[in-house]
Amino acid sequence: MTDQGLVFKGARVIDPANEVDAVVDVAVQHGVFVDPASLSAPEIIDLTGRVLAPGFVDMHVHLRDPGQTEKEDLQTATAAAAAGGFTTVVAMPNTAPVMDDPDRVRELLLRAEREGGARVLQTAAMTQGLRGLKLTDFAALKAAGAVALTDDGASIQDASIMREALIQAAQNRMVVLDHCEHAGLSGGGVIAIGEISRKLSLKGKPVSSEDVMIARNAVLANETGCPVHLQHVSTAAGIEIARMARWAGWPVTCEVTPHHFCLTDEAVLTQGANAKMNPPLRSEQHRQALLKGLCDGTVSVIATDHAPHTEEEKSRDIAKAPNGVIGLETAVRLSLKELYHSGLLELPDLIAKFTIGPCVVLGLPYGTLTIGRPADITILDLDAAWTIDVTTFKSKARNSPFDGWQGRGKAVGTLVGGAWVYRDC
């Protein structure tokens, strides 16, 4: 970006935070949004026929860095994010070593400033080593830059420890993100319990393993006053509990992933381990409940749970292969295909799930085009045709159940702090 700034003209500008949906000029200079009239000789970018929105935020990403960089690293993950339309990613703490130490959080954030394309924000572990037993130093982790607390992938099983964690998180004005799973009820299940698990003779996970913990967390959030964000909700009852909590005014929010609202457990029959994740894909009844939650506002966030693995790992027998699929380069495309072009959501409502939704949960200054805020932008072409080809991904990983899918509508440009990090427009 030049010192004279940039002015984007001709685009349909959608900023749900400010209830803007109109063709207006948007200007950036020195890394922030400015009044277009304040610039004397800016560079003009014609975006006629495109959509300009605040930079999209993915609040659930596994960077695998440090410790598992054969799967993904800071550079490849942020390049994948930018290409997929995301200007900010929020990293989970289950790295090696775990992000339970303030120095590790600081080091990662400093590296991200040097090496990253998209912005990287880091969460911190609630318990040491993600073992669910001894709480970490929340105040020190916040001071180091952690934006939230989570034992993602390893939900605290002891309700009394979780309650104390919420009390301390509230004292430190931090939000808790939780992967809701009762380990005893999951019992080593591989996929969702049901017709498909029986057909494949695989041990299944019951919906109760998720629902019990969602209910527990909602009750504890209300009692302690600590905001709790329910990660990757996949069940009908989970959505209903979140809906009741929202109506009651409890500090509970939730997210869903594209793989859960696009697929059912039948995908395991054709995709094998590339359709294995936690929580698992479930039946059509549950998928429809997620869609309803997206439409009525119960679900305020779409997140990817981007979980890269090597091809060797995912080629194992499904019972032994690791959980997780990648999503940074497919989420926006799939959401436009399945939610917007299908007629389920109006475009401003969909964009809100990627912008103001996650930013409200985490208290971030992004997700809006407000003058003075960081100039993060996502540009969409609603009619651009695409075919997903995992071999072209900027991510190191290829573990996607959507290879070969076709549709239209994708991100064609992303800017972070007014600077291009991906451009195809």
Side-chain angles (χ1 to χ4, degrees):
M1 184 180 69
T2 64
D3 289 341
Q4 289 76 27
L6 298 174
V7 173
F8 299 90
K9 289 181 171 289
R12 176 185 174 187
V13 175
I14 299 179
D15 180 4
N18 288 311
E19 299 183 346
V20 172
D21 184 356
V23 176
V24 294
D25 292 350
V26 173
V28 302
Q29 186 180 41
H30 304 312
V32 298
F33 293 110
V34 298
D35 184 343
S38 70
L39 301 181
S40 57
E43 178 183 350
I44 304 299
I45 307 293
D46 184 4
L47 293 178
T48 301
R50 307 288 170 75
V51 173
L52 186 152
F56 286 9
V57 176
D58 185 354
M59 63 176 290
H60 193 162
V61 174
H62 298 271
L63 294 180
R64 307 300 192 208
D65 192 344
Q68 296 178 307
T69 52
E70 72 279 5
K71 302 183 181 190
E72 196 78 280
D73 59 40
L74 270 173
Q75 292 180 330
T76 59
T78 56
F86 294 102
T87 58
T88 299
V89 295
V90 179
M92 296 300 102
N94 58 339
T95 49
V98 171
M99 288 289 169
D100 57 4
D101 177 89
D103 288 339
R104 291 176 197 147
V105 172
R106 274 189 287 266
E107 180 183 0
L108 186 284
L109 293 174
L110 286 172
R111 282 184 51 219
E113 288 183 8
R114 298 192 302 266
E115 302 175 25
R119 297 182 190 274
V120 174
L121 306 178
Q122 182 63 57
T123 60
M126 281 193 290
T127 65
Q128 293 181 10
L130 302 176
R131 290 186 289 271
L133 299 174
K134 186 175 181 180
L135 298 182
T136 54
D137 187 336
F138 294 178
L141 290 164
K142 180 179 181 179
V147 296
L149 297 162
T150 179
D151 271 10
D152 178 74
S155 182
I156 294 175
Q157 299 297 297
D158 188 314
S160 64
I161 296 175
M162 183 64 167
R163 182 178 182 276
E164 181 59 29
L166 296 186
I167 290 171
Q168 292 192 28
Q171 291 170 348
N172 285 280
R173 297 184 180 277
M174 298 184 78
V175 62
V176 167
L177 322 177
D178 199 48
H179 166 108
C180 302
E181 180 179 10
H182 189 289
L185 289 171
S186 285
V190 178
I191 62 174
I193 194 169
E195 181 182 345
I196 304 301
S197 66
R198 290 188 289 271
K199 182 175 183 178
L200 297 177
S201 299
L202 293 171
K203 185 174 177 58
K205 293 184 180 182
V207 293
S208 58
S209 64
E210 184 173 347
D211 296 340
V212 164
M213 296 302 254
I214 288 176
R216 180 201 73 172
N217 289 343
V219 169
L220 291 177
N222 180 53
E223 181 178 79
T224 63
C226 180
V228 174
H229 179 76
L230 310 171
Q231 296 179 300
H232 47 43
V233 177
S234 71
T235 72
I239 291 293
E240 188 59 32
I241 294 167
R243 181 178 291 115
M244 290 188 293
R246 176 171 170 261
W247 287 346
W250 294 3
V252 175
T253 54
C254 69
E255 71 190 39
V256 298
T257 72
H259 46 270
H260 285 114
F261 67 69
C262 288
L263 300 171
T264 68
D265 55 353
E266 290 189 358
V268 176
L269 297 175
T270 57
Q271 297 297 316
N274 277 342
K276 180 188 179 187
M277 66 280 296
N278 191 21
L281 298 174
R282 303 194 188 275
S283 69
E284 180 65 11
Q285 171 201 355
H286 295 287
R287 191 181 78 86
Q288 288 297 325
L290 304 187
L291 294 174
K292 182 179 178 182
L294 283 162
C295 292
D296 70 13
T298 298
V299 179
S300 61
V301 176
I302 296 174
T304 68
D305 192 11
H306 178 77
H309 294 291
T310 66
E311 291 188 55
E312 184 279 326
E313 288 173 311
K314 277 294 192 176
S315 66
R316 298 172 189 166
D317 178 86
I318 190 170
K320 297 180 180 179
N323 290 305
V325 300
I326 53 176
L328 286 171
E329 292 170 86
T330 57
V332 173
R333 298 185 192 196
L334 293 168
S335 296
L336 287 169
K337 171 184 171 70
E338 298 294 321
L339 302 177
Y340 170 65
H341 283 304
S342 70
L344 283 175
L345 283 180
E346 296 294 331
L347 192 58
D349 294 330
L350 175 58
I351 288 174
K353 314 270 187 206
F354 288 112
T355 56
I356 192 64
C359 290
V360 165
V361 172
L362 295 173
L364 303 178
Y366 315 121
T368 174
L369 304 176
T370 299
I371 289 176
R373 293 290 184 91
D376 294 356
I377 293 172
T378 296
I379 300 166
L380 305 174
D381 184 335
L382 299 180
D383 294 315
W386 48 260
T387 299
I388 293 174
D389 179 358
V390 297
T391 66
T392 67
F393 282 2
K394 296 184 181 299
S395 171
K396 287 183 180 181
R398 302 289 181 259
N399 54 303
S400 170
F402 299 109
D403 192 34
W405 277 43
Q406 296 180 327
R408 61 190 176 99
K410 64 178 182 177
V412 293
T414 46
L415 296 92
V416 174
W420 292 97
V421 292
Y422 176 76
R423 187 173 184 179
D424 187 24
C425 61

